[in-house]
Amino acid sequence: MMRSLPAALAAAGLLCTLPAHAGLFDDDVARKQVNDLQKTTSQTLIDQSRQIDQLNRQVSELRGQVEVLNNQITDLDKRQKDLYLDLDNRLQSIEASKGKSVAKPVPPAATDAAKAADKSDSKPEAKADSKPADDPGAVLKAYESALGLFKAGKYKEAATAFDKFTKTYPDSEQAPAAQFWLGNSYYAVGDCKQVISSQQKLLAKWPKNSRAPDAMANIANCQAEFGQKSESQKTLKDLVAKYPDSKAAGAAKQQLKK
């Protein structure tokens, strides 16, 4: 009986140590799993951070490219307006150099004779209705006002102003220029149908005007935008044939080669 007591105590001690070893093993496995999960999570976060940084760099590059394109568009628009205005100024100078016809004042003697003739005529004659002459100052002011709208980039308002001018002062000195700028105003707002119509009116009424070649070029460009390739080529060929020495004809030749 005494011999079995140590053995029993040893067995009891072994039984007590087994759960402790098992608990320690479970803690190590759990700790390893937690460490592995932390490492995986950390790596995932690092990868995501890198991707976010890369996307931010790409967005910044795209914003820079968009800003550059916007600046280029603004510069092109300014160059086009400057070109138009420079062209108009040069054409105005050319027309001014040709001289203006000034009405000569009627001598006083002739006026008195006319009055005497009117008094001596016992039967009054019906006078034909005549339109009063346009005030040159008012005409010029209206033209410059419409041109100012175009310079300011208010193309829709400029088109309305030039259209009103051409209808109010159809025979004025500035009428051909107004008709030309009316077409350019329509072109700026993307109304190619009105561009063709307005420029055709210019060609029909003032075929020898210095703006006629450019009007034909505008028509050809709009025909091309409409997909009317053959009509556009024909207009360009007519432009070269009718106005061979114009700058527009030189540009038309380059377009025909392409």
Side-chain angles (χ1 to χ4, degrees):
M1 186 69 177
M2 294 297 293
R3 291 179 181 177
S4 63
L5 181 59
L9 292 173
L14 179 63
L15 290 174
C16 291
T17 58
L18 285 176
H21 283 292
L24 181 61
F25 177 77
D26 292 341
D27 289 343
D28 291 341
V29 173
R31 188 178 294 108
K32 184 177 183 302
Q33 290 177 345
V34 169
N35 290 335
D36 292 341
L37 181 60
Q38 288 177 343
K39 290 179 181 179
T40 303
T41 304
S42 298
Q43 187 62 41
T44 301
L45 291 175
I46 292 172
D47 293 340
Q48 289 179 346
S49 178
R50 290 175 179 174
Q51 291 176 355
I52 291 173
D53 290 340
Q54 184 178 3
L55 290 174
N56 286 334
R57 286 194 300 269
Q58 292 176 349
V59 169
S60 298
E61 292 175 358
L62 290 174
R63 285 177 178 172
Q65 293 175 0
V66 169
E67 185 175 356
V68 170
L69 291 174
N70 286 334
N71 290 334
Q72 290 178 347
I73 292 173
T74 301
D75 290 341
L76 288 174
D77 184 61
K78 185 177 182 300
R79 289 179 186 175
Q80 184 183 30
K81 288 195 292 185
D82 291 342
L83 178 62
Y84 281 146
L85 296 176
D86 179 65
L87 175 63
D88 186 67
N89 291 333
R90 283 186 292 170
L91 293 175
Q92 288 283 2
S93 299
I94 293 173
E95 292 177 355
S97 64
K98 294 179 180 178
K100 302 178 182 179
S101 58
V102 181
K104 296 181 179 179
V106 180
T111 304
D112 294 339
K115 290 180 179 179
D118 290 339
K119 291 180 180 179
S120 62
D121 191 356
S122 59
K123 295 181 180 179
E125 296 180 357
K127 296 182 180 179
D129 294 335
S130 59
K131 181 182 177 181
D134 295 323
D135 179 11
V139 175
L140 183 60
K141 183 178 180 181
Y143 174 78
E144 290 181 345
S145 175
L147 191 60
L149 291 172
F150 187 91
K151 292 179 181 180
K154 299 179 180 180
Y155 304 118
K156 186 175 181 180
E157 293 84 349
T160 301
F162 280 122
D163 182 60
K164 181 179 179 180
F165 183 93
T166 57
K167 293 176 179 177
T168 306
Y169 309 108
D171 300 318
S172 64
E173 181 183 348
Q174 293 83 5
Q179 191 70 47
F180 174 75
W181 286 109
L182 174 61
N184 282 289
S185 299
Y186 283 132
Y187 191 86
V189 298
D191 192 345
C192 263
K193 183 178 179 180
Q194 291 293 345
V195 173
I196 295 175
S197 175
S198 62
Q199 302 297 258
Q200 285 177 340
K201 290 179 181 178
L202 171 63
L203 294 172
K205 192 170 183 179
W206 301 282
K208 295 182 180 181
N209 187 269
S210 54
R211 294 176 180 81
D214 295 294
M216 290 191 73
N218 289 342
I219 292 174
N221 289 336
C222 279
Q223 289 172 333
E225 290 189 18
F226 280 142
Q228 301 171 351
K229 184 177 180 181
S230 58
E231 290 84 349
S232 177
Q233 289 181 342
K234 183 180 183 303
T235 302
L236 292 175
K237 291 177 181 178
D238 291 342
L239 167 58
V240 174
K242 292 181 179 179
Y243 311 102
D245 298 327
S246 65
K247 290 185 178 180
K253 289 178 183 178
Q254 296 298 325
Q255 286 182 264
L256 288 171
K257 288 180 180 180
K258 295 179 182 180

